[in-house]
Amino acid sequence: MKITTFNPQIITNDGDSIVKVFEALGFEKHHNPQGIGDLNVEGIRMKDANGFYLDISVPDMKLPQDVTAIRMNVDDFDEAYKLLTDHGFKNFYGDKTVDMKSSKSAIMISQSGIAVNLIQHIKN
């Protein structure tokens, strides 16, 4: 398994406020897909002049608080999923994954609260 992307991610119900903070820090919106998967998530990908990325996800569900996570893209979702579950991570969605034409993902949570948004982009 190869990690292809590794950067911070914020999962929030208030994407606009988070975007404004990071725009003030020099980040710009780079990509903004809407309605991701059955969970209807807005995804905001930001990038600064140094090439650092930040992802902001705004799910269509009430969160008790913002969640700070690590976005980790891999070339083999199943292998990475097994590695994380072997280390005690649990899938936030239960047994579901977010399956799209171009990607497969799941938010994995460790017993201590570390959140990893595990993603594999599917190339045609």
Side-chain angles (χ1 to χ4, degrees), residues 1-3 72 74 76-90 108 116 118:
M1 174 203 64
K2 177 181 172 188
I3 296 173
M72 185 170 71
V74 296
D76 187 329
F77 181 90
D78 294 332
E79 182 180 357
Y81 189 94
K82 181 177 181 336
L83 185 146
L84 291 173
T85 56
D86 286 351
H87 285 275
F89 282 73
K90 304 285 185 206
M108 307 297 290
V116 174
L118 179 63

Side-chain angles (χ1 to χ4, degrees), residues 49-62:
N50 296 310
F52 294 114
Y53 285 94
L54 168 70
D55 288 285
I56 301 168
S57 293
V58 185
D60 187 21
M61 65 169 54
K62 181 68 179 152

Side-chain angles (χ1 to χ4, degrees), residues 1-121:
M1 174 203 64
K2 177 181 172 188
I3 296 173
T4 58
T5 304
F6 194 86
N7 62 265
Q9 180 171 18
I10 299 168
I11 304 165
T12 183
N13 290 130
D14 189 9
D16 291 338
S17 293
I18 303 295
V19 166
K20 287 177 185 174
V21 169
F22 284 92
E23 284 176 334
L25 292 168
F27 283 78
E28 296 178 355
K29 282 187 179 179
H30 186 67
H31 187 54
N32 191 201
Q34 305 285 322
I36 300 169
D38 295 339
L39 302 172
N40 196 26
V41 176
E42 175 185 7
I44 303 164
R45 187 142 172 90
M46 301 186 80
K47 182 180 179 182
D48 79 350
N50 296 310
F52 294 114
Y53 285 94
L54 168 70
D55 288 285
I56 301 168
S57 293
V58 185
D60 187 21
M61 65 169 54
K62 181 68 179 152
L63 299 172
Q65 64 189 31
D66 291 350
V67 176
T68 304
I70 297 167
R71 172 186 169 147
M72 185 170 71
N73 287 23
V74 296
D75 67 346
D76 187 329
F77 181 90
D78 294 332
E79 182 180 357
Y81 189 94
K82 181 177 181 336
L83 185 146
L84 291 173
T85 56
D86 286 351
H87 285 275
F89 282 73
K90 304 285 185 206
N91 185 340
F92 176 80
Y93 308 125
D95 292 332
K96 288 183 66 175
T97 57
V98 178
D99 295 301
M100 308 262 309
K101 183 178 179 181
S102 62
S103 67
K104 180 176 183 176
S105 67
I107 296 178
M108 307 297 290
I109 311 284
S110 75
Q111 291 178 343
S112 64
I114 298 167
V116 174
N117 188 3
L118 179 63
I119 303 170
Q120 178 182 353
H121 285 283

